[in-house]
Amino acid sequence: MDPYAVLGVARDAPVSEIRQAYVALARSTHPDVRGDDPAAAEQMRRINLAWEMLSDADSRAAIDRRLNQPSQAPPGPRDSPAAEPTARPYRDDFDFSHDDFDGDDRPLTGGNLPGWMRAGAPLAFVVGIFAVIFGVLAGGFVLVRFGLLLLGLSALLFLLSPFVVLIRSRGGPMR
């Protein structure tokens, strides 16, 4: 099977063009659109298989190598449609955006910042402001430096809190 021919794209087409062709064919060929047509299910299976073969860079490179080699043997049983690998079942939702996503798509759980961090940032901020104010008014250079240090600490805790929530929600090392 030539997946490029199935999707109707050139062999040098970028993945975005291949994906557009796949989506267009899937929308017009899907058995839900074409009814009880048995040919639609088979055609959709071939379209899904072609997309799977061309969307993976390693698989596409292997297909390109195979298609660029001159055929020396007559087609045998291995070239028959029955010998093609089976495709995963097609999806009915037409939301193909997740095919490009390689990250972690587990949902985040909220409210799992440690208590010391939840209270530490605002407390360090308030104490730091008062230390700076009283240090300036009283002329205490040490108190001003201590206040600025606490303000910096509160800013650091504030900036780190989303990362701590993310790590903890994913079951990371801070449990």
Side-chain angles (χ1 to χ4, degrees), residues 106-119 157 160-175:
R106 290 180 290 164
L108 291 176
T109 57
N112 53 358
L113 248 181
W116 64 266
M117 197 167 194
R118 201 175 314 128
L157 289 174
L160 288 178
S161 61
F163 298 106
V164 172
V165 169
L166 182 66
I167 290 168
R168 289 174 61 100
S169 70
R170 301 283 192 229
M174 299 183 78
R175 284 242 167 212

Side-chain angles (χ1 to χ4, degrees), residues 80-99:
S80 69
E84 294 176 6
T86 57
R88 292 191 301 253
Y90 55 83
R91 291 184 285 275
D92 290 340
D93 59 357
F94 291 115
D95 177 21
F96 302 108
S97 61
H98 60 280
D99 290 334

Side-chain angles (χ1 to χ4, degrees), residues 17-80:
E17 183 180 325
I18 294 170
R19 184 172 185 268
Q20 286 175 349
Y22 166 69
V23 170
L25 283 171
R27 287 186 175 154
S28 64
T29 309
H30 197 277
D32 288 347
V33 174
R34 298 213 4 218
D36 291 333
D37 183 8
E42 175 59 25
Q43 191 173 4
M44 191 68 212
R45 186 190 71 76
R46 291 176 59 83
I47 291 168
N48 282 335
L49 181 60
W51 167 245
E52 284 184 31
M53 295 167 79
L54 296 179
S55 64
D56 179 56
D58 295 332
S59 172
R60 184 175 180 183
I63 290 165
D64 289 342
R65 283 191 301 273
R66 180 179 56 91
L67 292 174
N68 288 334
Q69 289 179 351
S71 172
Q72 295 178 356
R78 190 168 180 194
D79 296 328
S80 69

Side-chain angles (χ1 to χ4, degrees), residues 5-6 12 15 22 27 34 37 73 89 96 111 121 130 132-133 156 167:
V6 171
D12 61 346
V15 175
Y22 166 69
R27 287 186 175 154
R34 298 213 4 218
D37 183 8
F96 302 108
F130 280 116
V132 169
I133 291 172
L156 180 67
I167 290 168

